[in-house]
Amino acid sequence: MAQNNSDFDVISVFETKGKIYGDPLVTDDTTVVLGCHRKQVYFLDATGNEIKSVKTGGWVHAAPSQLHDGTVAVGCYDRNVYYFNTRGDILKKFMPGGRIFSKIEQFKDGTIVFGTNRKKIHFIKPDGSGYHFTTRKMVHGGITILDDERLVVGTHDNIIYMLDKLGNIEYEVPTEHWIVHSKPTVLQDGHIAVGSYDKHLYIFDDHSQQIKKVKVNGAIHSTPLQLADGTIVFGSLDKSIYLVTPNGEIKKRIKTNGWVVSSPRALNDTTFCIGSYDHNLYVITSSGDILNKFDTGGKIFSTPALLPDNTIVVASNNKKVYYLRLNTHDIPLSADSDKKKEHLKPKL
């Protein structure tokens, strides 16, 4: 059973019909959107009340995304891409072919890009026309757009691809195992970091063609996050949370009692939260001190979200979504910490 920690206020708990694997999305109007494995997409308000739930034809494993025009887009196991408004109304859907695991990303001209289990990375233009890049195996990993001119993505090919926006290969980084979920992160110096199931965090750029590999003791499903002081944090299936210097040196390993599949979410410049299969949401500083933890009563797969009022939204696989607020005063939170990092211009 979940046990409340005195340092957290539980604002609300929303119960879903199925387990949640995709990251919750917080839209510009503070709607929380998330899918589950019982063929549902949920739209919740900023306090955890249901606005609407929408039935789909398959599992919703991918994280939803908000496009430039405010539309919410999400891929589904029923092979459709769904477009919603933030009230949960279906605006349209289309079937590109293949089950969709990855979060949809968008170029400035409106072209969306995503991967499928049919060995494709699809580029779909606003008019519905498109093209694709063919891989040797399915694409599960997250896609990162660079300078609006190209993208980088890891795949089940055991390759990290850098493609231009026409789908041509510019650069490849070979790995020894899959990139299952870890989304490439652009670091402060313009290098790219991404985790692999070969138990390494890869740090590279396409100019020097030098690749650093940080060895840990388990597969890395988690997307790395860099904090303001340069510390890179991520989780591993060796039941640990790692803090790494920009030079690739492990400065702290924090052991939990379960796989750490979840990705970290910045709470401010020096503090982040991350979930574990041991049921706990951890709040940790960039020096590796555990400030707080909260037992959700179920395994945490997805990445926590942060609302503008500093409410933490965490989905647990006990089919519950918790709205939590830290009531300690020594952690000034910043809901736009991740947004600031997303807009850092890579120097590649």
Side-chain angles (χ1 to χ4, degrees):
M1 296 291 292
Q3 298 178 356
N4 293 348
N5 185 303
S6 60
D7 288 332
F8 284 93
D9 292 326
V10 180
I11 307 303
S12 64
V13 182
F14 177 79
E15 295 193 21
T16 66
K17 293 182 179 179
K19 295 181 179 181
I20 299 163
Y21 292 90
D23 305 340
L25 165 72
V26 176
T27 67
D28 292 340
D29 65 0
T30 70
T31 301
V32 175
V33 187
L34 67 164
C36 81
H37 272 209
R38 285 297 296 271
K39 305 178 182 180
Q40 297 279 340
V41 180
Y42 293 95
F43 293 77
L44 312 178
D45 68 17
T47 57
N49 298 305
E50 183 177 324
I51 298 170
K52 192 169 187 176
S53 64
V54 182
K55 185 77 172 176
T56 65
W59 290 357
V60 184
H61 186 88
S65 58
Q66 187 168 30
L67 305 182
H68 302 328
D69 64 358
T71 301
V72 174
V74 63
C76 181
Y77 267 49
D78 67 10
R79 299 175 174 83
N80 281 292
V81 174
Y82 289 84
Y83 290 81
F84 301 93
N85 60 27
T86 57
R87 304 302 299 174
D89 302 316
I90 297 178
L91 303 177
K92 64 177 180 178
K93 63 181 180 178
F94 73 93
M95 187 177 291
R99 293 175 176 171
I100 303 164
F101 307 107
S102 66
K103 181 180 177 180
I104 292 168
E105 303 293 342
Q106 188 177 35
F107 289 96
K108 289 180 181 177
D109 66 2
T111 299
I112 62 170
V113 58
F114 55 91
T116 76
N117 71 330
R118 291 281 184 90
K119 309 175 186 178
K120 298 283 193 302
I121 297 172
H122 286 277
F123 297 74
I124 307 295
K125 296 181 178 181
D127 64 4
S129 64
Y131 47 95
H132 61 261
F133 172 78
T134 301
T135 60
R136 292 193 296 273
K137 294 182 180 178
M138 71 175 180
V139 183
H140 192 294
I143 294 170
T144 298
I145 292 176
L146 306 173
D147 287 332
D148 198 48
E149 293 296 330
R150 47 190 173 164
L151 64 84
V152 59
V153 59
T155 71
H156 275 58
D157 290 0
N158 303 354
I159 295 174
I160 304 165
Y161 292 101
M162 187 177 292
L163 307 177
D164 67 20
K165 65 191 306 181
L166 296 178
N168 302 307
I169 296 176
E170 290 195 350
Y171 185 62
E172 295 182 8
V173 176
T175 63
E176 297 172 22
H177 212 316
W178 303 328
I179 311 293
V180 174
H181 182 271
S182 188
K183 179 178 177 178
T185 296
V186 180
L187 304 179
Q188 294 163 2
D189 63 1
H191 286 70
I192 295 168
V194 61
S196 170
Y197 266 51
D198 65 14
K199 305 180 183 179
H200 288 92
L201 180 77
Y202 287 78
I203 302 175
F204 65 93
D205 69 71
D206 66 338
H207 291 320
S208 65
Q209 299 190 3
Q210 293 179 341
I211 302 170
K212 295 177 184 176
K213 296 198 296 184
V214 182
K215 177 74 164 64
V216 298
N217 294 325
I220 302 172
H221 190 95
S222 176
T223 295
L225 166 73
Q226 188 172 40
L227 298 171
D229 67 357
T231 301
I232 303 166
V233 297
F234 58 92
S236 170
L237 272 63
D238 64 10
K239 304 181 181 180
S240 300
I241 301 159
Y242 286 91
L243 290 82
V244 175
T245 69
N247 292 326
E249 298 175 357
I250 296 174
K251 70 176 190 178
K252 190 74 177 282
R253 176 188 179 190
I254 301 167
K255 294 183 179 180
T256 74
N257 292 314
W259 286 359
V260 185
V261 177
S262 171
S263 301
R265 174 74 62 187
L267 299 179
N268 61 23
D269 285 347
T270 60
T271 311
F272 66 95
C273 64
I274 189 170
S276 170
Y277 265 37
D278 69 6
H279 301 183
N280 285 295
L281 175 75
Y282 291 86
V283 177
I284 302 172
T285 69
S286 60
S287 59
D289 299 318
I290 298 176
L291 298 181
N292 295 284
K293 62 181 180 178
F294 180 87
D295 185 348
T296 64
K299 297 174 181 177
I300 302 172
F301 188 100
S302 67
T303 303
L306 192 63
L307 284 160
D309 66 355
N310 298 324
T311 298
I312 301 169
V313 182
V314 57
S316 174
N317 272 353
N318 63 352
K319 305 177 185 179
K320 293 180 180 179
V321 182
Y322 293 85
Y323 282 58
L324 306 173
R325 194 170 298 149
L326 281 164
N327 59 33
T328 182
H329 297 291
D330 57 354
I331 309 176
L333 304 185
S334 176
D336 63 353
S337 292
D338 283 353
K339 289 186 178 180
K340 289 176 182 177
K341 289 176 175 59
E342 287 173 1
H343 287 87
L344 286 172
K345 291 294 185 181
K347 301 174 184 177
L348 293 171

